[in-house]
Amino acid sequence: MPPECQLFTTLGCHLCELAEEEIMPLVEHGLMVELIDIADSEALVDAYGLRIPVLRRLDTGAELGWPFDTEQVVAFLL
């Protein structure tokens, strides 16, 4: 079972939309991804404002920054 993840994103972010497209096939196969809008938190804007989209594993805290493709996401989850 793949680890649960968070995708740090925000509305109107074209790169975030591309990241979601890469992740969606994995979600359809059981990957659990919570979308986190960084605009809801000043701390998240400070941490991720210049780096989004960022995929974060909940189990290890490891982060995968953009750009990534589906293959890289699969390797990140192993």
Side-chain angles (χ1 to χ4, degrees):
M1 176 154 210
E4 292 183 31
C5 295
Q6 296 172 317
L7 180 63
F8 294 98
T9 183
T10 198
L11 291 174
C13 171
H14 176 68
L15 297 178
C16 298
E17 293 169 4
L18 294 174
E20 286 183 48
E21 289 176 16
E22 291 294 335
I23 294 170
M24 286 313 290
L26 301 172
V27 169
E28 292 170 1
H29 287 93
L31 177 63
M32 303 274 296
V33 178
E34 177 184 11
L35 298 179
I36 305 291
D37 189 336
I38 65 166
D40 295 337
S41 163
E42 189 174 320
L44 290 177
V45 169
D46 289 345
Y48 295 102
L50 298 177
R51 302 187 318 146
I52 59 170
V54 174
L55 185 65
R56 181 177 183 272
R57 290 177 59 144
L58 291 181
D59 60 346
T60 65
E63 296 181 344
L64 179 63
W66 185 258
F68 51 77
D69 60 25
T70 305
E71 268 186 36
Q72 291 170 311
V73 173
V74 168
F76 174 70
L77 297 173
L78 294 178

